[in-house]
Amino acid sequence: MKPQGSVPVVSFVGKSGVGKTTALELVIRELKRRGRRVGTVKHDAHGFDMDRPGKDSWRHAEAGSDAVLCRGRTRWR
């Protein structure tokens, strides 16, 4: 039995360049097509720029993510 108020979570983990963001874009689009609300959290170990065309956070939003959060070593955005 699922506890009341629980939120399903899916995690994509892998080395750089293996296609995580591309796969995630497909999953986001499919979940949105099914009427789900989607939020994504992107970890970045090198520092990041939000919402620049082509960057992962921008790609998450373009795919339909309702909220995008980036987390680095020293900041959240």
Side-chain angles (χ1 to χ4, degrees), residues 3-4 7 25 47-49 52 54 58-60:
Q4 186 175 2
V7 177
E25 287 173 299
F48 55 86
D49 292 324
R52 280 196 7 220
W58 181 85
R59 290 173 64 184
H60 292 192

Side-chain angles (χ1 to χ4, degrees), residues 9-47:
V9 174
V10 176
S11 178
F12 287 73
V13 179
K15 292 183 179 183
S16 179
V18 298
K20 296 178 304 293
T21 299
T22 300
L24 187 54
E25 287 173 299
L26 296 172
V27 170
I28 292 168
R29 286 187 181 105
E30 179 60 20
L31 290 171
K32 293 305 293 181
R33 186 187 71 76
R34 294 180 185 200
R36 304 301 300 238
R37 290 177 43 206
V38 177
T40 59
V41 178
K42 166 77 173 102
H43 177 264
D44 189 291
H46 308 295

Side-chain angles (χ1 to χ4, degrees), residues 34-77:
R34 294 180 185 200
R36 304 301 300 238
R37 290 177 43 206
V38 177
T40 59
V41 178
K42 166 77 173 102
H43 177 264
D44 189 291
H46 308 295
F48 55 86
D49 292 324
M50 288 286 292
D51 304 326
R52 280 196 7 220
K55 300 299 279 182
D56 288 352
S57 60
W58 181 85
R59 290 173 64 184
H60 292 192
E62 286 295 303
S65 185
D66 297 295
V68 179
L69 172 73
C70 283
R71 183 208 183 273
R73 290 182 192 179
T74 60
R75 66 181 178 146
W76 293 78
R77 185 158 188 218

